[in-house]
Amino acid sequence: AGYFLFETAAMLLFIFSRKKHILRKNLTRVLKDVSPSSSMLKNAYKTYARYYFDLFQKRETIVKNIDGSKFTPYESKIKSLLENKKGVIITSMHAGNWDAGGAFLSSCFPGKINVIVEELSAPVFRWFSETRNKWGFNIIRSTDIKKMLRALNKGEILVLAADRDLEKNGYKIDFFGKKAHIPSG
């Protein structure tokens, strides 16, 4: 029922949005100049709606739907590093429901997950931070280098959305025909 309600809201946003052209333009780049159909655009809106609905779920609900078998070889290596008080940096794509991946990690390594985030407007940032805290993430602002280093020195995990260059001072690459910034580190 929750997905249905959120998808219905997404369809209303789709109908009344004046920014569908941005989504269409971005998908056209990815699809090699093929104009995406209206159903593709609607599905993008629905997918985002499901992501937002998931943010209202408990961590346990999200984690039970994740197949962690591909992670098992990495889990023992990370546990070994953490037992030796070594900090770990994990990179993640900033795409799809990466928060679900963070929920999975926080279930594997309780109290050890620090997610580096871009600060958004106050109410949105506060809501995302509270939600992620409930899922077991510690939130570190992308500008708080000292807090990141403290977490690593305490033998914790930093999760970075490495495809984002928030400061736009990294490398510029060609990404589907447009220039995109990626971190230099």
Side-chain angles (χ1 to χ4, degrees):
Y3 283 137
F4 173 77
L5 290 174
F6 273 66
E7 287 178 12
T8 301
M11 287 303 87
L12 291 172
L13 287 171
F14 177 79
I15 291 166
F16 296 109
S17 174
R18 295 184 177 163
K19 297 188 177 185
K20 285 187 289 254
H21 68 281
I22 296 170
L23 176 60
R24 183 180 300 281
K25 184 177 166 183
N26 289 339
L27 286 175
T28 299
R29 276 190 212 121
V30 172
L31 298 172
K32 304 274 187 208
D33 299 322
V34 173
S35 184
S37 67
S38 185
S39 70
M40 289 173 83
L41 298 176
K42 287 178 185 175
N43 283 334
Y45 272 70
K46 285 180 180 179
T47 298
Y48 225 79
R50 289 189 293 270
Y51 161 69
Y52 274 102
F53 177 75
D54 284 346
L55 290 172
F56 290 97
Q57 302 299 307
K58 291 181 179 178
R59 177 179 72 185
E60 295 75 24
T61 303
I62 297 298
V63 170
K64 76 177 182 184
N65 293 311
I66 295 175
D67 174 10
S69 62
K70 300 271 191 260
F71 181 69
T72 304
Y74 303 102
E75 185 175 10
S76 59
K77 176 67 174 171
I78 292 170
K79 280 182 180 174
S80 168
L81 291 167
L82 295 178
E83 286 168 359
N84 290 315
K85 299 291 183 204
K86 306 268 185 192
V88 176
I89 298 174
I90 296 176
T91 59
S92 169
M93 287 219 22
H94 194 262
N97 190 349
W98 70 268
D99 289 294
F104 174 76
L105 285 175
S106 72
S107 70
C108 295
F109 308 104
K112 298 283 188 181
I113 302 299
N114 299 277
V115 179
I116 312 308
V117 298
E118 172 183 15
E119 188 160 355
L120 305 168
S121 66
V124 174
F125 183 76
R126 187 172 40 256
W127 180 75
F128 269 111
S129 295
E130 289 169 1
T131 300
R132 290 169 177 159
N133 283 145
K134 286 179 193 172
W135 283 8
F137 309 179
N138 298 311
I139 303 302
I140 301 177
R141 288 178 171 86
S142 62
T143 55
D144 196 344
I145 305 299
K146 287 182 183 178
K147 203 169 185 179
M148 291 179 215
L149 292 173
R150 268 196 300 268
L152 289 172
N153 286 331
K154 289 186 342 188
E156 295 179 358
I157 299 170
L158 290 182
V159 179
L160 306 172
D163 59 324
R164 302 279 311 270
D165 181 10
L166 303 176
E167 304 296 321
K168 294 193 179 352
N169 58 10
Y171 297 110
K172 269 188 175 179
I173 64 164
D174 184 50
F175 187 73
F176 296 108
K178 294 283 185 180
K179 293 297 177 195
H181 295 270
I182 62 168
S184 59

